[in-house]
Amino acid sequence: MTDFAATRAAFDLPEGVIYLDGNSLGVLPRGAAARVERTIRAEWGERLIRAWNDAGWMTQPARVGDRIARLIGAPAGSVVVGDTLSIKVYQALAAALALRPGRRIVLSDSGNFPTDLYIAQGLLDTLGQGHELRVVAPEEVAGAITGDVAATLLTEVDYRTGRLHDMAALTRVAHEAGALAIWDLAHSAGAIPVDVTRAGADFAVGCTYKYLNGGPGAPAFIHVAPRHAAVARPALAGWMGHEAPFAFDAAYRPGAGIERMRVGTPPVIALAALEAALEVWDMVDMRDVRAASLRLSERFIAEVEAQCPALELASPRDAAQRGSQVSFRHPHAYPVMAALIDRGVIGDVRAPDILRFGFTPLYLSEQEVVRAAGVLATIMRDEAWRDPRFQQRQAVT
Amino acid sequence: MTDFAATRAAFDLPEGVIYLDGNSLGVLPRGAAARVERTIRAEWGERLIRAWNDAGWMTQPARVGDRIARLIGAPAGSVVVGDTLSIKVYQALAAALALRPGRRIVLSDSGNFPTDLYIAQGLLDTLGQGHELRVVAPEEVAGAITGDVAATLLTEVDYRTGRLHDMAALTRVAHEAGALAIWDLAHSAGAIPVDVTRAGADFAVGCTYKYLNGGPGAPAFIHVAPRHAAVARPALAGWMGHEAPFAFDAAYRPGAGIERMRVGTPPVIALAALEAALEVWDMVDMRDVRAASLRLSERFIAEVEAQCPALELASPRDAAQRGSQVSFRHPHAYPVMAALIDRGVIGDVRAPDILRFGFTPLYLSEQEVVRAAGVLATIMRDEAWRDPRFQQRQAVT
């Protein structure tokens, strides 16, 4: 059993705040600041260039990748960390398309995070080979996987509503149609149990600054199924993905397996924070996290619906169909959230009318969730959001 | 006049080391560790998601870019920071090729850093439109810029020999042939005076962990000449390069000017270290750095050549033809460098036989350079490098 008092003690939480935005930016793990300081002062400062070898900087992307692999059901050696999620989406999709040269359709859905769609469209435009990005409604994906689809590009948990795709079922449909399945786990890794192996995913990507608490702008990850690892073509053929980076050969030869998905020099300082953040997960069983997450989110929905008739649930009502967030709609979502943040309850907003609340059992208690709902109820009842102070839209990521 | 005692005091240098490898990884600026700690504890830890706005995280890539712009002769608003150099090379070349749709040749030289060549080849393979990467000897570049060249992709300072290309002259030749000029400033920014505007460069890219001291794996930069900024097509169309990232539109619309070259979520912690590192440059006039760099490197060459007949100068003898590094050849370069590092003089090696020494006047004195040459002379005279301890090859970046 996961000891959630112990996990909570592993984080530095600010005073006077109930944080329901760990689905956007996770909180600070106690070990991260000290680890980064050590990396900066003792490794960079003292060892300088020698630290590439003697502090293990060069092997860090795969070492950190292995920690993530465990959380998403991937075998060791099949995940590597670096760059941003956008870049990793580009790599995964480019590799998938090269494996399906005769097909011209990339299938995604309108609930996907925009950067996935932008990156896909940018890649297809760059290819200039008549590929089409076909975007359907989330519930129409299964029926749209026709024999001309090269790859599906789907985010398992919808960033706006928390709606959960059935990864295993959709992957099966994709494979039956001869397509490859790419899964974006941005809102899944550390949020819900994930098993890319059992689901048969071909590629998976994700970010580490949400539920994994890697820090603002922490590097992303990519998983390539072992059956593709030796043949996947890295479109972003950077030197760190070369079979022998320090041979400085004129010609590129892709590295063994997942190593080829590395691109440039690894972001050592960011990786130090992420590595410390991932150590917290040694204490965690994802099934316990799922159970606690559902308990927290069900309680939040019940409290809000009982007290705030003006808010409309935007997430699936069936807990099994949700990730670890709950969203409500309100025509004045922005000022409502501004008023809520002003009173120490932090969630965020997605255009045009979505209030988002993330549930992170590692550091969030049921009592706090009940208190947060109470604060929200007070704001709605008093219409506190009409205060001119809260009328300015704030962009939050 | 730059006060080099003051700049030296801005760095934390390890005891007992003479560091001649700032061309690979710059040393730790005193302000960087404290700045990162503040970003982690006070911004991430306390402000959490709110820090995207109130700590200025969202605008940091352009703000830091402006600091670099000043050092490379680029106007404010024409440089943005993020990703790695490999990614920025990809973006620059993809944008350049889209501006020259009728041409199929990318011209580079055999002295270019391999990742530039790998990334270029990877892009051309991805395009699949019959482009050719033509690689000639560095001294043959000018003559090889024919009317079918879409873009030249050159690194101003050769990473092995320190040989300096004439950026203005080659750019002029490129433009006369109707080609675009992309310059990699990895070994130029902070090393020598650079003026991309006067040279007429179309795109410039570089890394920040060498002479700029941004830290291991610090993010890269890209400059787009203002005349191209509104039309350059970002092949890596990430959400942070969108005109309105938080509108979450289904369709990508490139941001204004250089903003479109942003890709994913910015690496906030790494950017904090880099921003602190760049503040040191407020004290610096690049002309003084150049004069001091030449004084240090000329002295080093004179000392080594007087004392080490077995070492052959691999850099141009004419100081005007060099960047801020000096290289020597020796058939046993690896063990020689290992012996040198063992005695506290840190340089590095490039396959197969190059000993590299970087000169960084911000924190390196002439006295140290003379001492370093003396240690090298002792090792060569005693053949100390034959010690079995030094026979293992070490990869250093």
Side-chain angles (χ1 to χ4, degrees), chain A residues 52-53 90 115 118 239 249 395, chain B residues 53 90 115 118 239 249 395 397:
Chain A
W52 279 108
N53 294 311
Y90 191 89
T115 207
Y118 302 161
W239 71 307
D249 290 332
Chain B
N53 293 310
Y90 191 89
T115 208
Y118 302 161
W239 72 306
D249 290 333
T397 187

Side-chain angles (χ1 to χ4, degrees), chain A residues 12 14-15 17 19 21 24-29 32-34 36-37 40-41 44-46 48-50 52-53 57-58 83-84 86-87 90 113-115 117-119 122-123 125-129 159-160 209 213-217 233 235-240 242 246-252 263-269 273 334 341 346-347 350-351 394-397, chain B residues 12 14-15 17 19 21 24-29 32-34 36-37 40-41 44-46 48-50 52-53 57-58 83-84 86-87 90 113-115 117-119 122-123 125-129 159-160 209 213-217 233 235-240 242 246-252 263-269 273 334 341 346-347 350-351 394-397:
Chain A
D12 266 325
E15 290 289 320
V17 160
Y19 195 62
D21 212 5
S24 184
L25 174 65
V27 301
L28 171 61
V36 167
E37 184 167 9
I40 290 182
R41 293 194 193 271
W44 174 18
E46 286 297 316
L48 288 163
I49 193 71
R50 298 166 291 187
W52 279 108
N53 294 311
W57 291 351
M58 203 51 82
D83 306 296
T84 61
S86 297
I87 297 294
Y90 191 89
F113 190 72
T115 207
L117 303 177
Y118 302 161
I119 285 283
L123 171 60
D125 292 349
T126 298
L127 288 171
Q129 291 164 23
Y159 76 106
R160 261 186 295 230
Y209 50 75
N213 311 302
R233 208 180 68 75
L236 301 169
W239 71 307
M240 284 292 160
H242 192 281
F246 292 93
F248 300 101
D249 290 332
Y252 182 78
V263 184
T265 303
V268 171
I269 296 173
Y334 279 89
I341 291 172
I346 302 182
R350 283 297 173 257
Q394 293 215 346
V396 280
T397 187
Chain B
D12 267 325
E15 290 290 320
V17 160
Y19 195 61
D21 211 4
S24 184
L25 175 65
V27 301
L28 171 61
V36 168
E37 184 169 8
I40 290 181
R41 293 193 193 272
W44 174 17
E46 287 295 318
L48 289 161
I49 194 72
R50 297 166 292 186
W52 280 108
N53 293 310
W57 290 353
M58 202 52 82
D83 306 296
T84 62
S86 296
I87 297 294
Y90 191 89
F113 190 72
T115 208
L117 303 177
Y118 302 161
I119 285 284
L123 172 60
D125 291 349
T126 298
L127 289 171
Q129 292 165 21
Y159 76 106
R160 262 186 294 231
Y209 51 75
N213 312 302
R233 207 180 69 72
L236 300 169
W239 72 306
M240 283 292 160
H242 192 280
F246 291 94
F248 299 102
D249 290 333
Y252 182 77
V263 184
T265 303
V268 170
I269 296 173
Y334 279 88
I341 291 173
I346 302 181
R350 284 295 173 258
Q394 293 215 345
V396 280
T397 187

Side-chain angles (χ1 to χ4, degrees), chain B residues 120-180:
Chain B
Q121 191 61 59
L123 172 60
L124 302 189
D125 291 349
T126 298
L127 289 171
Q129 292 165 21
H131 286 89
E132 179 199 334
L133 175 62
R134 189 172 290 168
V135 179
V136 301
E139 59 277 14
E140 290 167 5
V141 167
I145 305 177
T146 46
D148 50 357
V149 172
T152 58
L153 174 62
L154 301 167
T155 297
E156 189 185 18
V157 178
D158 187 296
Y159 76 106
R160 262 186 294 231
T161 64
R163 187 250 329 120
L164 190 60
H165 269 313
D166 185 334
M167 194 195 299
L170 288 176
T171 300
R172 200 162 49 239
V173 175
H175 288 174
E176 282 164 7
L180 296 171

Side-chain angles (χ1 to χ4, degrees), chain B residues 57 171 208 292 330 378:
Chain B
W57 290 353
T171 300
T208 63
H330 190 275
T378 306

Side-chain angles (χ1 to χ4, degrees), chain A residues 339-387:
Chain A
L340 202 54
I341 291 172
D342 185 63
R343 297 183 188 199
V345 177
I346 302 182
D348 64 23
V349 172
R350 283 297 173 257
D353 60 356
I354 296 276
L355 294 151
R356 287 201 312 181
F357 302 94
F359 297 91
T360 50
L362 265 57
Y363 51 83
L364 191 68
S365 70
E366 190 161 349
Q367 202 180 30
E368 287 170 307
V369 164
V370 172
R371 281 220 314 276
V375 174
L376 179 56
T378 307
I379 287 168
M380 297 310 297
R381 193 191 58 218
D382 303 346
E383 300 198 346
W385 53 269
R386 293 194 187 273
D387 187 317

Side-chain angles (χ1 to χ4, degrees), chain A residues 16-94:
Chain A
V17 160
I18 299 175
Y19 195 62
L20 304 178
D21 212 5
N23 53 317
S24 184
L25 174 65
V27 301
L28 171 61
R30 276 189 199 283
R35 179 72 57 88
V36 167
E37 184 167 9
R38 190 179 86 201
T39 296
I40 290 182
R41 293 194 193 271
E43 296 174 9
W44 174 18
E46 286 297 316
R47 301 299 299 164
L48 288 163
I49 193 71
R50 298 166 291 187
W52 279 108
N53 294 311
D54 59 37
W57 291 351
M58 203 51 82
T59 51
Q60 202 176 18
R63 195 170 69 236
V64 176
D66 280 345
R67 284 192 170 273
I68 293 169
R70 196 181 72 77
L71 296 172
I72 62 168
S78 73
V79 174
V80 75
V81 174
D83 306 296
T84 61
L85 178 52
S86 297
I87 297 294
K88 288 330 197 191
V89 168
Y90 191 89
Q91 286 187 285
L93 184 56

